[in-house]
Amino acid sequence: MMKALIENIARALVDDPEAVKVREVEGDQATVLELTVAADDLGKVIGRQGRTVRAMRTLLGAASIRAGKRVMLEIME
C-alpha cells in the first residue's frame, strides 16, 4: 500500500513516469522505500527547498501510523 502511494504521487509529478521505481527494503526497525526517478525529474520530486518530498514523507508517515509500522522514504540519485 505504501509503495503504491509513493509510486502514484511520483508518477504524477515527473515528465517520465516510466522511469519511476520504488524499491521496498525491510529492516528490523522500519521499512525503507527507495524512490528512483530520471535524473531530469529529480528536482520535481524534491521540490523547492524540499517541500514536495517533505509532503510525501508526511503522507507516508500518516499512512504508516495507520498501518502500525514505521516507513521511511529515501530519494535515490
Side-chain angles (χ1 to χ4, degrees):
M1 177 185 143
M2 313 291 176
K3 182 178 175 181
L5 173 70
I6 294 300
E7 209 168 89
N8 287 332
I9 293 171
R11 284 180 191 225
L13 292 171
V14 299
D15 290 333
D16 185 9
E18 297 300 316
V20 173
K21 292 185 182 28
V22 179
R23 197 174 122 218
E24 203 167 2
V25 179
E26 294 283 337
D28 295 338
Q29 302 291 321
T31 301
V32 177
L33 296 178
E34 295 178 344
L35 174 63
T36 306
V37 296
D40 295 341
D41 292 329
L42 197 57
K44 291 179 179 146
V45 172
I46 294 172
R48 289 186 183 206
Q49 297 178 345
R51 286 190 182 116
T52 305
V53 74
R54 196 173 325 128
M56 289 170 68
R57 286 182 174 136
T58 301
L59 285 171
L60 190 61
S64 67
I65 288 172
R66 192 175 173 107
K69 54 174 34 173
R70 185 179 159 120
V71 182
M72 299 183 316
L73 175 64
E74 286 187 15
I75 309 294
M76 307 308 283
E77 293 184 31

